[in-house]
Amino acid sequence: MYKWLRGAEPEFESLIDICEVANIKVVDLLLNRIDYSFNIKVNNIPKVNRKRKNYDRDLDEIERQLEDFHLNEYPPISVSEIQRRLKYFNIYRKYPQLSKKISYKYQEYRKTQAELKHMHRVEEVKTIIKEIHNNSKYPSERLVKSKMKDPIAFIDPIIRKTYKSMLRELGLK
């Protein structure tokens, strides 16, 4: 009733309950053919046992699965991915310590992967420059970029610094 009085659409089950308590037909309520002089006694109102959505999952089982994800999943996955897989979205609230551990492990993994990728790019630039120089050509930026797997990485200041230091090392600058 509260939500209905404030403009929200009533649920059909609520309408049925109201009609049952007021001893009127649903059709009469919907077509506004009601005599509003009825009296409802509070003692006659039946208690409605609505089924709540099934959120009563076994919390110990969820915690065990979270521990399993934390300890055994490689590469580590994010808490949001775990929530999606388990179809349980209260992990941060219900298990704050465990979710922090999982998040930290995931962030460290991502940081390590980014550093490795960066190191591979630096090594790639070094080998490309040496290869071009060994072929008796000048390793221009355009030529180096054309041989890179990801040429846009040349924007990175460390990659550019590596390029310039390799040119100095080879005596080309």
Side-chain angles (χ1 to χ4, degrees):
M1 283 295 276
Y2 179 80
K3 289 181 182 176
W4 190 9
L5 290 173
R6 290 187 171 37
E9 290 287 323
E11 295 178 6
F12 189 70
E13 292 149 351
S14 300
L15 293 175
I16 293 172
D17 293 339
I18 292 168
C19 291
E20 196 173 296
V21 169
N23 198 20
I24 56 174
K25 295 180 182 174
V26 177
V27 176
D28 291 338
L29 178 69
L30 293 174
L31 296 176
N32 202 15
R33 298 184 296 192
I34 304 172
D35 176 21
Y36 291 100
S37 63
F38 56 84
N39 290 325
I40 300 174
K41 294 182 180 177
V42 177
N43 295 341
N44 292 342
I45 297 176
K47 290 187 179 178
V48 179
N49 290 331
R50 297 222 183 271
K51 289 184 179 178
R52 295 189 71 188
K53 291 182 181 177
N54 189 10
Y55 294 120
D56 301 332
R57 293 183 62 180
D58 186 11
L59 296 179
D60 291 335
E61 175 63 21
I62 292 173
E63 187 171 8
R64 187 197 59 74
Q65 288 177 327
L66 287 174
E67 286 284 349
D68 189 45
F69 278 121
H70 174 61
L71 298 174
N72 300 328
E73 190 76 20
Y74 191 83
I77 57 177
S78 65
V79 174
S80 57
E81 174 63 20
I82 293 171
Q83 289 180 139
R84 190 188 62 73
R85 286 186 189 181
L86 296 178
K87 294 183 176 109
Y88 183 76
F89 299 96
N90 290 327
I91 290 175
Y92 285 110
R93 192 165 45 99
K94 295 281 187 181
Y95 309 99
Q97 299 300 329
L98 196 51
S99 62
K100 284 178 186 175
K101 287 180 187 176
I102 293 169
S103 293
Y104 179 76
K105 184 177 180 181
Y106 177 69
Q107 289 169 353
E108 287 300 310
Y109 171 76
R110 296 276 304 202
K111 207 182 296 182
T112 305
Q113 290 302 309
E115 289 170 0
L116 285 173
K117 188 175 185 180
H118 199 266
M119 285 176 26
H120 287 300
R121 285 182 177 161
V122 167
E123 289 302 316
E124 178 187 20
V125 167
K126 286 181 178 180
T127 55
I128 290 171
I129 291 172
K130 286 178 184 175
E131 179 183 305
I132 293 171
H133 182 69
N134 290 339
N135 290 336
S136 300
K137 292 183 181 176
Y138 180 78
S140 66
E141 280 188 33
R142 179 184 285 170
L143 191 55
V144 172
K145 283 181 189 176
S146 69
K147 294 193 180 263
M148 288 177 69
K149 291 178 186 171
D150 186 15
I152 198 73
F154 210 83
I155 294 172
D156 184 355
I158 295 174
I159 302 283
R160 296 185 68 75
K161 189 176 180 181
T162 303
Y163 169 75
K164 289 175 182 177
S165 69
M166 281 298 294
L167 289 180
R168 270 188 246 109
E169 186 180 304
L170 295 172
L172 301 172
K173 267 218 172 170

